[in-house]
């Protein structure tokens, strides 16, 4: 007896769009991960870049990417397709980055509270590599929510409606915050020492 869920013939995953890959992955996942792997391959680099922009370092970004991929692997069967796969993926990524950011913030507060020598801490910060390269240096001048909107727009290349859905905001509020964040960045570029 042939299983109805098992794909009937070989296929080239690179030839399929995201929706087709999601359907294949849902039916394959118990037996094989071919379609899932193609989905992750398509988004891996952008996913990593989004995480680096959110978190500010590659180590945390790599950890979050691994966590996101596991969540997608385990959650794909429940993915209903109400949104695009890309939107769902970046929604998971956004939530994982927020969780990681909060963990790091708590850890820093604890280390600060336990620090006995404030001068040692200041010296340590001076030795860290300067994070003021390109977009990263500009993003430090924008509040976290606006930074996330800019990252989702420029790095993940999402549409405004997708960003609004991920961040649980209205479309007009998302566009307004985006516009204000761009203005703030332009002002920073024009007057970097203000």
């Amino acid at each position: 007896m042939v299983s109805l869920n098992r794909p009937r013939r070989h296929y080239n995953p690179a030839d399929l769009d995201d929706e087709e890959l999601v359907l294949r992955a849902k039916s394959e996942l118990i037996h094989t991960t071919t379609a899932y792997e193609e989905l992750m391959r398509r988004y891996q680099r952008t996913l990593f870049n989004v995480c680096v922009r959110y978190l500010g370092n590659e180590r945390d970004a790599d950890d979050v990417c691994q966590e996101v991929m596991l969540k997608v692997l385990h959650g794909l069967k429940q993915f209903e397709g109400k949104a695009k796969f890309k939107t769902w993926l970046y929604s998971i990524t956004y939530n994982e980055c927020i969780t990681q950011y909060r963990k790091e913030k708590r850890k820093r507060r604890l280390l600060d509270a336990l620090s006995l020598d404030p001068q040692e801490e200041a010296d340590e910060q001076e030795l860290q590599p300067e994070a003021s390269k390109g977009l990263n240096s500009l993003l430090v001048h924008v509040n976290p929510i606006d930074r996330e909107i800019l990252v989702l727009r420029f790095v993940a290349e999402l549409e405004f409606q997708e960003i609004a859905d991920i961040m649980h905001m209205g479309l007009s509020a998302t566009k307004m915050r985006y516009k204000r964040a761009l203005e703030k960045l332009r002002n920073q570029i024009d007057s970097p020492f203000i």
Side-chain angles (χ1 to χ4, degrees), residues 135-157:
L135 184 58
N136 286 343
S137 66
L138 295 173
L139 289 176
V140 298
H141 301 287
V142 180
N143 74 50
I145 293 174
D146 294 344
R147 181 180 318 131
E148 291 157 7
I149 291 170
L150 292 171
V151 168
L152 289 172
R153 182 72 176 157
F154 290 116
V155 180
E157 299 177 352

Side-chain angles (χ1 to χ4, degrees), residues 73-124:
L73 177 67
H74 295 295
L76 201 53
K77 289 268 189 198
Q78 288 76 36
F79 175 62
E80 296 174 0
K82 292 179 182 176
K84 292 180 187 175
F85 173 78
K86 182 178 180 178
T87 305
W88 181 67
L89 175 67
Y90 288 117
S91 181
I92 293 170
T93 305
Y94 169 75
N95 289 329
E96 286 302 310
C97 284
I98 295 297
T99 300
Q100 180 66 27
Y101 178 78
R102 288 179 181 151
K103 281 182 196 174
E104 287 300 313
K105 196 173 178 182
R106 281 192 299 270
K107 192 183 340 179
R108 270 181 273 156
R109 277 196 304 239
L110 178 61
L111 289 173
D112 289 347
L114 296 174
S115 176
L116 299 175
D117 185 5
Q119 182 58 40
E120 182 180 303
E121 189 176 311
D123 292 343
E124 223 175 84

